Amino acid sequence: MAKDLSFICTACNAAHSKWSGRCDACGAWNSIEEAKPLSTGPKAKGLGVKRGRALELTDLATEQPEPPRTHSGVAELDRVLGGGLVKASALLVGGDPGIGKSTLLLQAAARFARTGLKVLYVSGEESAAQVQMRARRLELTESPVQLASETSLRDILTTLEAEAPDLVIIDSIQTMWLDSVEAAPGSVSQVRAAAHELTSFAKRRGIAVVMVGHVTKDGQIAGPRVVEHMVDTVLYFEGERGHQFRILRSHKNRFGPADEIGVFEMSGKGLIEVRNPSALFLSERGDPAPGSVVFAGIEGSRPMLCEFQALVAPSPHSQPRRTVVGWDGGRLAMILAVLESRAGLPFTGLDVYLNVAGGLRVGEPAADLAVAAALISAKEDAALPADCVVFGEISLSGALRPVAQTENRLKEASKLGFRSAITPVRAKRVGSGGVALREMRGLPEFVEGVFGAR
Ligand code: TYD
Ligand code: MG
């Protein structure tokens, strides 16, 4: 039987089995209060007669001041944060092990420390010496970041209480443990409890807390998923291990737009921000080849060009392969089906491989037409012109649907030297920035018009 720890210290959140005048966890006097369960679970007897405090109500019109933000000076990071770091907020940074989360956060910590914030970096995975070694490699040893190597959350909270930093980085939430929870570190109950303690502590004391969370390959066990709902902002650090590009993507943000991305490059001296991602994602592109199509996409608030590559080959298997990197597998199946039924292009007996170059992950339906173009181009062994971009959504009927922000897409394409674009027909005319438009109504017209002549 677990002890009934229903007395909580209001200063450090430590749980006790009985009331006492002084909390023996943090030493505060008169801070222990009985925490009665408010739930009406099967065993509880309802809320009882004790009255709560009347809430102070407000209306929808009263303007609250904007939360103060601190800029790191790294544009790619600030944009993903929604315009800087918000005081008293909780952030989660998830990603595969080894992708570069610790590197990113140590660099961010150093940047914020240089702007005058008091920054504490707590590593539960590495010793202080290991973190110092990384700091030397990143040439950050001069930054006034304070460092600790610890996994006991009770000790960490006590330290935070005493030090009162502006920003604390917890690397990682999976290594933290609370002595009041009877479960192994890394288990769902420990991770959830630790994240809850840190988040509520951050809100109460006005500290910004950043927690690192490892994503397991299946994205399941005690991964960052279990704490996503508790924090204000969820960022994911993505990328292919073999590539040097890394993308920081906001998945949820209570203080800014979601789906904003920041692009970085992993170098020998840490992460470097990439100011012109389109140029980077297209930099490995060679001469026009069958199966290669440039998509003019939008990521968050800005346009981004990237290359879709497709390979179609006769399959030796009874069940042909469909392999996708950087795009949704279900959506590929849909496009293959539409190509077959609406444009008369069957892919039966053919293996299909689809890849977004550079390790970018595209989620926009606007990429449908680029995917279809890459597939047809690979199948027919016919390359599209090198200076052509493609975008548009495909409906199940085979019709092409216009997409948002056409003008921005065309402007970016023009900036990077593209001279023509294949797009759906739009009702409204917009400036095309000098790009010649080939507007199509449906897939049959697209197949005929672009590949038919060959
Ligand atoms: P790390 O930040 O430790 O990853 P995570 O915290 O997400 O597990 O970084 C892991 C990789 O990054 C490691 O394989 C080495 C590489 N790296 C560089 O290429 N350059 C650098 O300057 C640093 C610090 C790391
Ligand atoms: Mg790490």
Side-chain angles (χ1 to χ4, degrees):
M1 256 304 271
K3 263 204 283 182
D4 178 21
L5 299 168
S6 56
F7 292 86
I8 308 285
C9 170
T10 52
C12 71
N13 251 344
H16 303 272
S17 59
K18 61 180 197 305
W19 189 87
S20 67
R22 184 169 187 248
C23 171
D24 45 33
C26 69
W29 288 95
N30 251 340
S31 64
I32 294 182
E33 284 176 13
E34 186 171 7
K36 285 216 179 94
L38 269 179
S39 81
T40 49
K43 276 195 198 141
K45 296 190 196 81
L47 287 176
V49 289
K50 189 166 175 266
R51 291 168 65 91
R53 174 177 58 85
L55 303 178
E56 201 178 300
L57 303 175
T58 178
D59 55 25
L60 296 176
T62 309
E63 270 190 43
Q64 302 290 344
E66 272 276 301
R69 292 177 186 269
T70 311
H71 295 272
S72 66
V74 182
E76 293 294 306
L77 177 63
D78 289 337
R79 187 186 27 252
V80 177
L81 290 173
L85 183 72
V86 177
K87 194 177 147 94
S89 63
L91 285 89
L92 176 73
V93 178
D96 291 336
I99 202 75
K101 300 181 293 300
S102 303
T103 308
L104 174 76
L105 290 175
L106 191 59
Q107 287 184 278
R111 284 293 194 139
F112 282 117
R114 239 176 281 158
T115 67
L117 294 190
K118 182 167 178 182
V119 183
L120 210 70
Y121 186 102
V122 183
S123 179
E125 304 194 329
E126 294 160 304
S127 66
Q130 279 173 303
V131 181
Q132 283 158 348
M133 212 162 75
R134 178 178 294 129
R136 264 199 298 282
R137 180 171 175 186
L138 302 173
E139 296 174 356
L140 297 174
T141 42
E142 303 294 309
S143 297
V145 176
Q146 286 180 300
L147 194 64
S149 175
E150 183 54 61
T151 57
S152 160
L153 205 61
R154 187 183 295 276
D155 294 347
I156 292 171
L157 292 180
T158 309
T159 311
L160 294 184
E161 185 87 79
E163 295 284 332
D166 299 299
L167 166 65
V168 58
I169 290 160
I170 303 286
D171 186 2
S172 65
I173 192 70
Q174 271 102 347
T175 57
M176 297 296 141
W177 63 282
L178 270 166
D179 47 19
S180 55
V181 176
E182 288 178 43
S187 62
V188 174
S189 35
Q190 279 288 6
V191 168
R192 202 184 280 149
H196 177 72
E197 289 296 333
L198 278 165
T199 308
S200 49
F201 189 88
K203 302 275 162 192
R204 245 177 318 139
R205 301 292 148 124
I207 300 172
V209 54
V210 178
M211 295 173 262
V212 173
H214 293 291
V215 183
T216 47
K217 265 288 162 236
D218 49 0
Q220 286 286 322
I221 302 146
R225 302 260 145 188
V226 299
V227 297
E228 273 184 358
H229 65 280
M230 289 182 209
V231 296
D232 299 308
T233 304
V234 178
L235 308 178
Y236 276 100
F237 205 38
E238 310 168 343
E240 295 291 319
R241 281 278 197 100
H243 286 286
Q244 71 271 42
F245 315 132
R246 298 283 183 272
I247 289 151
L248 187 64
R249 190 185 293 269
S250 70
H251 193 69
K252 152 183 172 181
N253 195 349
R254 287 185 185 146
F255 307 113
D259 269 329
E260 195 65 78
I261 74 167
V263 184
F264 298 88
E265 194 177 341
M266 181 64 98
S267 74
K269 283 185 180 171
L271 293 154
I272 300 168
E273 64 175 324
V274 175
R275 298 219 174 216
N276 190 350
S278 296
L280 179 97
F281 285 121
L282 297 180
S283 64
E284 290 170 358
R285 215 163 133 253
D287 293 332
S292 154
V293 169
V294 176
F295 166 55
I298 299 281
E299 289 289 343
S301 61
R302 66 179 159 174
M304 191 163 302
L305 266 51
C306 64
E307 183 193 359
F308 274 89
Q309 302 167 338
L311 178 67
V312 175
S315 178
H317 311 286
S318 58
Q319 188 133 42
R321 297 184 67 132
R322 304 282 184 251
T323 306
V324 196
V325 179
W327 165 257
D328 180 37
R331 195 103 193 157
L332 173 67
M334 187 199 100
I335 289 175
L336 289 173
V338 176
L339 282 175
E340 172 154 6
S341 347
R342 309 293 179 201
L345 284 170
F347 284 79
T348 30
L350 297 170
D351 283 340
V352 174
Y353 302 89
L354 184 75
N355 178 33
V356 182
L360 187 70
R361 242 189 22 223
V362 178
E364 264 193 296
D368 288 354
L369 192 58
V371 171
L375 293 171
I376 304 168
S377 158
K379 185 169 189 281
E380 305 290 317
D381 201 27
L384 250 61
D387 66 351
C388 175
V389 297
V390 180
F391 58 87
E393 188 177 339
I394 299 177
S395 69
L396 288 180
S397 66
L400 300 186
R401 282 205 290 247
V403 295
Q405 302 202 40
T406 297
E407 196 168 359
N408 282 342
R409 295 175 202 264
L410 293 174
K411 227 189 271 167
E412 178 81 356
S414 162
K415 211 164 81 188
L416 284 148
F418 288 87
R419 289 287 152 258
S420 65
I422 302 175
T423 71
V425 175
R426 278 156 307 120
K428 210 174 78 197
R429 298 284 99 197
V430 293
S432 63
V435 176
L437 296 185
R438 292 180 72 182
E439 295 183 319
M440 309 276 170
R441 274 179 206 288
L443 262 192
E445 186 190 339
F446 171 73
V447 176
E448 183 63 34
V450 180
F451 299 98
R454 291 164 211 269

